[in-house]
Amino acid sequence: MIAKLAWRNIWFKPLNTLLSIILLASSVAIITVLILLQKQFEEKFSSNIDGVDLVLGAQGSPMQLILSSVYHIDNPTGNISNDSAKVWMNHPFIEKAIPLAFGDNYRGFKIVGTNSDYLDKYKAKIAKGKLFDKNFEVVVGSEVAQKLTLKVGDTFFGSHGDAAEGEVHDHYAYKISGIASPTGSVIDNLILCNIPSVWQMHGTHEEDAENPEQASTEPSRSEEDEHFHTEACNHDHEQHETDMTLNEPNMEITAVLLKFRNKMGIVMWPRIIAQNTKMQAASPAIEINRLFSLFGIGLKALEYLAYAIMLISGISIFIALYNRLKERKYEFALMRINGASRLQLLSLILIESLILCFVGFLFGTIFGRFALGFISNSAEDDFKMTFNPMEIVWQKETMLLVATLVVGIIAALIPAIKAYQLNISKTLANA
């Protein structure tokens, strides 16, 4: 009965009620987004560096090297000599070394030259087809296959660089040999091939660029002629060219993911490599901790803003309840005459405030998840990273609910005490 009366009292002045709910829902929505974003962001970044102690790459920013080689969300610092890298890859300290070679993309999804160890690292299985075992055979990640509606046996031409609008390499076509199973890691958004495919693709391209006179003497062709010319060229390449292998001298790769047998190497190698080579060895753990600390400053600022809005919301609820108490003191006096106890009046005010806070929390969590869904879509386009709006972080979200209800109790405390102390005879006499 009291709860039903409290619900009706809340909507006696709907504009005041809506203002309080909107303010509270806004603060809860911001905090909900931060809770989910921080948890999933840290989980995704931490899971992707599992099994990677150091990353060997070209000199430059260590953070850039980690972001480009491990997370594929930045440009690489440059290339390194494959022959030089092999010296360190075959070191007795090394348990596993996974080479990576970048250079092209297909419709915005990066084509990465590597080996089967890269799939093993992320526990990716071949869901359809088979692993690449020839040049220009590729395994596509589950997200790539789904978004581009690719299937085993399809062929496509890569574009130079990381941008989908880059120059198309139409002298070799990639053929999909397999589709990887979903892993929830970066590999879902990559197209994987062997490293000689990357070398052969760019080797031919560079040769064409070095002989522009020969290219300029070719007569212009229609689109249909171009199609048959491309197929003829591909057939000619297959018939007359020997595919490159991993033993090619003087070739370059982009980076190497290293896992150590002896953990002392993690401490010693960055200094040794910097002093003795033109390469660098960066620690993913150190760089990601730096990233989290920078990321955390922004999250903390938003969190403080959200709690400030929650405080303003609490003040708004207090003002609404206090003003309503002054307007309804004669009503409360009549309720007392008709048998209502002091405790029931106190409970009525508290329940009104708690209902306001619970409704604000409910809408806030819903709005927060919609906002995270929007952020996820943007992150997916820019960084090939998705977030799950439907995840529930029970501990932190329960604490948020408790904090919201505490705000409601504090806001209602003074009006509730005044209702409890109401002098019936004096109030009715003044009426």
Side-chain angles (χ1 to χ4, degrees):
M1 181 65 185
I2 292 178
K4 186 177 180 181
L5 183 62
W7 177 257
R8 289 183 175 178
N9 287 339
I10 286 171
W11 296 106
F12 180 72
K13 288 193 173 181
L15 290 179
N16 288 343
T17 298
L18 285 173
L19 176 63
S20 299
I21 289 175
I22 289 171
L23 283 171
L24 194 58
S26 299
S27 64
V28 171
I30 294 173
I31 296 170
T32 299
V33 169
L34 295 180
I35 288 172
L36 296 175
L37 195 61
Q38 186 172 23
K39 179 178 183 292
Q40 295 185 30
F41 184 83
E42 291 184 1
E43 281 180 354
K44 286 181 180 293
F45 267 72
S46 299
S47 64
N48 281 310
I49 62 172
D50 286 346
V52 181
D53 295 324
L54 288 179
V55 177
L56 187 65
Q59 290 181 345
S61 165
M63 178 76 76
Q64 184 181 349
L65 176 60
I66 299 303
L67 291 178
S68 63
S69 301
V70 180
Y71 302 103
H72 303 278
I73 55 176
D74 200 353
N75 295 320
T77 53
N79 288 333
I80 58 176
S81 165
N82 184 49
D83 295 332
S84 299
K86 280 182 179 178
V87 175
W88 301 93
M89 291 165 64
N90 296 324
H91 195 280
F93 277 12
I94 298 298
E95 180 180 336
K96 184 173 289 186
I98 305 173
L100 303 174
F102 309 152
D104 294 337
N105 78 91
Y106 175 58
R107 293 172 62 179
F109 291 95
K110 186 178 287 187
I111 300 172
V112 178
T114 185
N115 56 34
S116 60
D117 288 341
Y118 194 62
L119 286 140
D120 295 339
K121 172 189 162 2
Y122 293 105
K123 299 179 175 62
K125 307 295 183 183
I126 304 299
K128 296 179 182 177
K130 64 182 181 66
L131 185 66
F132 50 82
D133 57 7
K134 298 177 184 176
N135 287 9
F136 304 108
E137 287 187 343
V138 298
V139 169
V140 297
S142 58
E143 290 289 327
V144 182
Q146 181 182 350
K147 291 171 187 173
L148 303 185
T149 60
L150 298 173
K151 60 185 184 298
V152 175
D154 286 351
T155 59
F156 61 87
F157 293 111
S159 299
H160 187 67
D162 293 332
E165 300 80 15
E167 178 188 356
V168 176
H169 291 315
D170 58 3
H171 42 282
Y172 288 114
Y174 291 101
K175 183 177 181 180
I176 299 174
S177 66
I179 296 173
S181 60
T183 63
S185 63
V186 293
I187 206 169
D188 293 344
N189 288 286
L190 297 177
I191 300 172
L192 307 178
C193 62
N194 61 15
I195 290 176
S197 297
V198 177
W199 293 341
Q200 191 166 334
M201 179 69 74
H202 293 88
T204 304
H205 175 70
E206 287 165 5
E207 287 169 11
D208 291 343
E210 289 171 3
N211 295 282
E213 293 181 4
Q214 182 180 352
S216 65
T217 58
E218 293 183 4
S220 60
R221 292 181 289 270
S222 67
E223 187 175 332
E224 187 176 357
D225 291 338
E226 186 70 37
H227 172 73
F228 286 114
H229 172 75
T230 301
E231 289 195 348
C233 284
N234 289 339
H235 180 73
D236 185 62
H237 282 309
E238 289 174 2
Q239 293 293 323
H240 302 293
E241 275 197 15
T242 303
D243 282 342
M244 286 188 171
T245 68
L246 281 172
N247 298 320
E248 301 291 332
N250 304 319
M251 302 305 292
E252 293 184 335
I253 56 175
T254 308
V256 183
L257 308 182
L258 300 174
K259 182 179 181 181
F260 284 82
R261 288 193 180 93
N262 188 330
K263 298 302 180 183
M264 282 299 294
I266 302 174
V267 179
M268 298 164 53
W269 275 39
R271 179 175 54 82
I272 294 171
I273 288 174
Q275 290 176 349
N276 295 282
T277 71
K278 295 181 179 180
M279 299 182 288
Q280 68 167 328
S283 167
I286 292 173
E287 299 305 320
I288 295 310
N289 283 336
R290 283 182 55 211
L291 184 65
F292 285 163
S293 64
L294 295 172
F295 185 68
I297 293 171
L299 289 181
K300 277 294 178 188
L302 286 173
E303 191 176 346
Y304 292 147
L305 173 63
Y307 282 116
I309 296 173
M310 185 178 284
L311 177 62
I312 294 170
S313 171
I315 294 170
S316 171
I317 293 171
F318 165 73
I319 293 170
L321 292 175
Y322 194 79
N323 289 337
R324 202 173 295 161
L325 175 66
K326 289 196 296 185
E327 295 169 1
R328 294 165 54 201
K329 61 183 179 180
Y330 306 118
E331 176 189 336
F332 287 157
L334 290 172
M335 287 175 64
R336 287 290 313 282
I337 289 174
N338 285 294
S341 66
R342 290 176 181 271
L343 194 59
Q344 284 177 318
L345 292 185
L346 184 143
S347 300
L348 180 64
I349 301 295
L350 284 175
I351 289 171
E352 285 182 24
S353 180
L354 290 174
I355 289 174
L356 273 174
C357 290
F358 184 77
V359 172
F361 173 83
L362 191 63
F363 279 102
T365 54
I366 293 171
F367 294 154
R369 281 168 166 77
F370 273 116
L372 185 61
F374 178 77
I375 292 171
S376 180
N377 290 335
S378 301
E380 188 173 10
D381 293 337
D382 296 335
F383 305 114
K384 304 294 184 291
M385 183 183 294
T386 58
F387 300 99
N388 178 19
M390 294 299 107
E391 182 178 0
I392 299 175
V393 185
W394 288 105
Q395 183 179 1
K396 290 189 176 181
E397 293 195 65
T398 302
M399 289 172 62
L400 177 59
L401 174 59
V402 170
T404 307
L405 296 179
V406 167
V407 168
I409 292 171
I410 293 172
L413 205 56
I414 294 176
I417 291 172
K418 283 193 169 292
Y420 182 85
Q421 295 173 342
L422 185 69
N423 188 316
I424 302 173
S425 57
K426 186 177 179 181
T427 301
L428 292 177
N430 289 336

